[in-house]
Amino acid sequence: MPNKRVLITGAAGFLGSHLCDRFIAEGYNVVAMDNLITGDLRNIEHLMKLKEFEFYHNDVSKFIHVPGQIDYILHFASPASPIDYLKIPIQTLKVGSLGIHNCLGLARVKNARVLIASTSEVYGDPMVHPQTEDYWGNVNPVGPRGVYDEAKRFQEAITMAYHTYHGLETRIVRIFNTYGPRMRLNDGRVLPAFIGQALRGEDLTMFGDGSQTRSFCYVSDLIEGIYRLLHSDYAEPVNIGNPDEITIREFGEEIIKLTGTNQKLVTKPLPKDDPKQRKPDITRAKQILGWNPKISREEGLKITYDYFKSLSDEELYKTAHRFE
Ligand code: UDP
């Protein structure tokens, strides 16, 4: 029997590239697609020589054509850090609307199953804690995060509509803060920001008083959850994240300890609509997928720090955001 063939959009990004690795390791043929606005070919260059791997430099928000059989489509294309989607708001909205529409249309033609990357941002600045999948969220549609949050909410809605109206097989993962190797050092997210600052001997920029919380999941745990969800028969959204919650202040202190630097935490203004707390309720993932995160923050941060340490000085000092 020929290998199953999976299309991954956003394949050169942080999560997309780890998905490519996993599907190749599981014996799939991978069709990787990316427009390289925020993705980086270096994340997948080790796969380029494999006959099981093809790369399309394509924008999924425009019409896409992929010849041959496709069994699964994983839609992971999207800017995903607050700085990115503030810089490229229209592309963010388009990939979450036109992009998923193209994927769903392709899936109907190919009779493929679609899994979409949704996000804890659909809960906005949550009034329910920890966040369960049946919470509808508290999102400001016209705030700075609106372009991302509403695109992802629309993406869930259209995916569910294709499921109920066309009977398409669909899966929705709500991804909470995830970290690991191949995060972009200059994407503005708290972990690469703090580690980059520590490595350059700069103080760590804590936004607000640092009392806001996040719960960080190591990338291999997330990929395992996604892999299990894809192969399940469950079409409702599933949270995947690590419920180990920490304040941003404590997180900064952990990074200072990990990097053994003498840097301080310095306060910067809290961005508008920055969620005050975030922690996944993962009861559903446990029950339906038998999934549980395995990697502690201590372990995951060490691997991630070693990765950032191995980058060149040029990379480390390329702090200016690429859209500036
Ligand atoms: N943050 C911070 N300093 C930074 C970058 C981010 O204190 O240099 C804070 C940010 O305000 C937020 C948290 O860290 O409360 C996580 O931010 P990130 O951009 O990583 O992701 P978010 O969960 O907000 O989408």
Side-chain angles (χ1 to χ4, degrees):
M1 226 174 55
N3 290 351
K4 296 261 187 204
R5 194 155 174 254
V6 54
L7 168 66
I8 300 175
T9 75
F14 166 44
L15 297 182
S17 66
H18 283 283
L19 285 168
C20 290
D21 284 342
R22 177 68 189 258
F23 280 90
I24 288 288
E26 297 283 351
Y28 287 73
N29 285 6
V30 172
V31 180
M33 190 177 285
D34 207 298
N35 65 2
L36 301 177
I37 293 188
T38 57
D40 190 330
L41 275 184
R42 286 175 299 181
N43 291 334
I44 47 172
E45 69 184 357
H46 59 289
L47 301 172
M48 291 292 193
K49 58 185 177 308
L50 300 178
K51 67 175 186 337
E52 295 81 12
F53 187 82
E54 303 163 70
F55 177 69
Y56 283 65
H57 185 187
N58 226 8
D59 185 345
V60 65
S61 301
K62 309 217 172 92
F63 177 78
I64 51 172
H65 171 68
V66 181
Q69 146 220 353
I70 298 278
D71 301 289
Y72 301 107
I73 300 177
L74 280 75
H75 186 45
F76 276 69
S78 179
S81 88
I83 287 193
D84 283 347
Y85 47 77
L86 282 173
K87 298 276 178 194
I88 42 174
I90 312 294
Q91 284 96 330
T92 304
L93 281 159
K94 282 169 76 174
V95 76
S97 51
L98 306 179
I100 184 60
H101 191 218
N102 289 335
C103 288
L104 292 164
L106 184 67
R108 283 191 70 208
V109 174
K110 305 283 186 186
N111 201 17
R113 181 180 297 179
V114 177
L115 182 146
I116 61 158
S118 189
T119 164
S120 55
E121 284 285 328
V122 300
Y123 303 121
D125 190 1
M127 317 284 270
V128 166
H129 193 73
Q131 292 77 56
T132 47
E133 288 89 349
D134 52 14
Y135 175 50
W136 295 348
N138 177 37
V139 169
N140 176 3
V142 293
R145 290 175 181 248
V147 293
Y148 184 67
D149 301 5
E150 297 296 1
K152 291 291 188 180
R153 289 169 68 98
F154 173 85
Q155 191 174 266
E156 289 197 12
I158 192 172
T159 299
M160 206 38 105
Y162 268 69
H163 176 67
T164 49
Y165 186 72
H166 287 306
L168 195 72
E169 288 201 42
T170 56
R171 307 287 178 262
I172 300 173
V173 57
R174 290 190 181 147
I175 299 171
F176 283 66
N177 294 67
T178 301
Y179 69 98
R182 302 187 193 149
M183 284 188 103
R184 236 171 55 223
L185 200 49
N186 65 350
D187 82 353
R189 286 181 165 275
V190 67
L191 183 140
F194 281 179
I195 293 187
Q197 287 158 346
L199 286 172
R200 290 187 300 269
E202 299 165 5
D203 287 334
L204 277 54
T205 52
M206 180 178 74
F207 296 166
D209 63 4
S211 63
Q212 69 274 32
T213 68
R214 293 294 185 273
S215 309
F216 296 97
C217 183
Y218 187 66
V219 62
S220 60
D221 281 333
L222 180 91
I223 299 296
E224 177 65 29
I226 291 171
Y227 193 80
R228 288 186 188 205
L229 177 61
L230 178 70
H231 295 100
S232 76
D233 59 2
Y234 195 73
E236 297 288 318
V238 178
N239 288 340
I240 300 284
N242 189 323
D244 186 5
E245 186 182 13
I246 185 171
T247 66
I248 293 302
R249 175 182 291 278
E250 287 165 334
F251 187 62
E253 285 160 358
E254 278 189 6
I255 300 285
I256 291 173
K257 202 165 142 218
L258 171 77
T259 55
T261 46
N262 296 319
Q263 269 48 62
K264 298 187 303 295
L265 293 172
V266 290
T267 305
K268 297 275 177 195
L270 188 68
K272 188 171 178 333
D273 296 344
D274 196 291
K276 280 180 282 304
Q277 52 183 3
R278 182 179 291 153
K279 169 181 170 164
D281 182 315
I282 56 167
T283 310
R284 190 176 279 184
K286 281 184 186 163
Q287 282 172 352
I288 290 171
L289 311 175
W291 175 86
N292 228 338
K294 298 270 186 293
I295 308 284
S296 68
R297 203 170 47 246
E298 191 183 1
E299 202 180 336
L301 282 182
K302 197 177 164 324
I303 304 168
T304 310
Y305 176 50
D306 287 344
Y307 166 77
F308 282 123
K309 257 196 321 197
S310 73
L311 297 178
S312 66
D313 273 4
E314 189 202 345
E315 195 73 27
L316 183 61
Y317 285 92
K318 201 173 62 183
T319 48
H321 194 270
R322 72 169 71 174
F323 308 110
E324 274 166 356

